[in-house]
Amino acid sequence: DGGITQSPKYLFRKEGQNVTLSCEQNLNHDAMYWYRQDPGQGLRLIYYSQIVNDFQKGDIAEGYSVSREKKESFPLTVTSAQKNPTAFYLCASSNSGGLGDTQYFGPGTRLTVL
Amino acid sequence: GQNIDQPTEMTATEGAIVQINCTYQTSGFNGLFWYQQHAGEAPTFLSYNVLDGLEEKGRFSSFLSRSKGYSYLLLKELQMKDSASYLCAVSYNTDKLIFGTGTRLQVFP
């Protein structure tokens, strides 16, 4: 089955701890994305990558970091510098990341920082 | 900015038709996506419009007017399972999508 997986579905962390969210895809897509979703707000782009070993900041990159060492994987680290980390995090991928390219989403990880 | 505007909430009755509108700024517009998102789940792709006109796909249709900066998603023969949020997202001449806040649709029996 082709698709995008994110793990875990629910994650709890204490304030001040870094946490890494996993995102894997077997769609052979070049581009991958991380979004954050908060109640009453649209999806906001954190980071994206259009090719292995390269990534760009999105609109709200502060307090987050990513890596793209493999085509299939795009993990997101939420650092202690992120002021309001509690949110629903969505990973997506698309074929090439070009204009009009459809993005397909993983099931999401709901992070709660206590 | 590149604001995407859509109503926050809508209600409708099973079997009815509902139209969800989306307006956007036209400068640099490339294309428009509609996604469906059930609570706590991933958004799923519904449609993509780049040219003016209506695209029909089963019970769902999507319309675009590039000159007016306007799109709508039309849902026919509503079913209870259509209760979800519907996200409008615009591709501008960058490699990023801009999402609206979503319209939460509740379908009642």
Side-chain angles (χ1 to χ4, degrees):
Chain A
D1 264 337
I4 306 172
T5 57
Q6 292 184 243
S7 61
K9 190 164 179 65
Y10 298 96
L11 191 54
F12 296 88
R13 278 294 181 271
K14 291 184 178 178
E15 198 171 335
Q17 290 180 332
N18 291 356
V19 61
T20 297
L21 280 58
S22 163
C23 178
E24 305 277 330
Q25 54 96 4
N26 61 4
L27 300 168
N28 201 33
H29 283 171
D30 285 322
M32 297 185 75
Y33 311 80
W34 274 106
Y35 291 91
R36 168 182 174 138
Q37 189 173 35
D38 296 281
Q41 297 195 41
L43 273 67
R44 292 184 290 167
L45 183 64
I46 304 172
Y47 268 98
Y48 65 107
S49 166
Q50 292 178 302
I51 196 168
V52 174
N53 292 322
D54 188 42
F55 48 82
Q56 285 77 42
K57 292 181 179 180
D59 301 316
I60 56 164
E62 186 176 346
Y64 300 97
S65 66
V66 293
S67 62
R68 187 86 188 276
E69 296 175 4
K70 298 187 299 182
K71 186 175 184 177
E72 310 81 48
S73 179
F74 192 40
L76 173 76
T77 297
V78 184
T79 75
S80 56
Q82 167 50 233
K83 300 298 181 203
N84 296 294
T86 294
F88 188 45
Y89 290 88
L90 287 159
C91 178
S93 71
S94 69
N95 192 34
S96 65
L99 294 179
D101 214 16
T102 300
Q103 295 183 19
Y104 297 93
F105 287 84
T109 292
R110 188 167 296 279
L111 173 65
T112 302
V113 175
L114 306 171
Chain B
Q2 295 164 324
N3 290 337
I4 313 295
D5 292 316
Q6 48 181 134
T8 304
E9 289 197 20
M10 298 183 71
T11 59
T13 307
E14 203 174 7
I17 299 173
V18 71
Q19 178 176 311
I20 302 173
N21 296 326
C22 173
T23 58
Y24 60 88
Q25 295 179 333
T26 57
S27 177
F29 174 83
N30 181 65
L32 187 144
F33 293 86
W34 283 98
Y35 285 87
Q36 180 191 60
Q37 185 180 25
H38 286 97
E41 297 183 11
T44 55
F45 170 74
L46 290 177
S47 66
Y48 174 59
N49 293 71
V50 64
L51 300 175
D52 285 352
L54 188 68
E55 299 263 352
E56 297 187 70
K57 197 183 290 186
R59 293 189 299 114
F60 292 7
S61 304
S62 56
F63 171 83
L64 178 69
S65 169
R66 293 178 66 112
S67 61
K68 294 182 180 177
Y70 168 68
S71 173
Y72 67 74
L73 181 70
L74 193 70
L75 290 73
K76 301 177 187 175
E77 301 168 18
L78 279 173
Q79 302 175 10
M80 298 296 290
K81 68 178 181 179
D82 298 330
S83 292
S85 289
Y86 292 86
L87 313 181
C88 173
V90 176
S91 169
Y92 287 98
N93 287 335
T94 67
D95 42 16
K96 298 185 285 186
L97 277 185
I98 308 298
F99 282 83
T101 55
T103 298
R104 184 171 169 236
L105 173 66
Q106 290 186 286
V107 180
F108 293 99

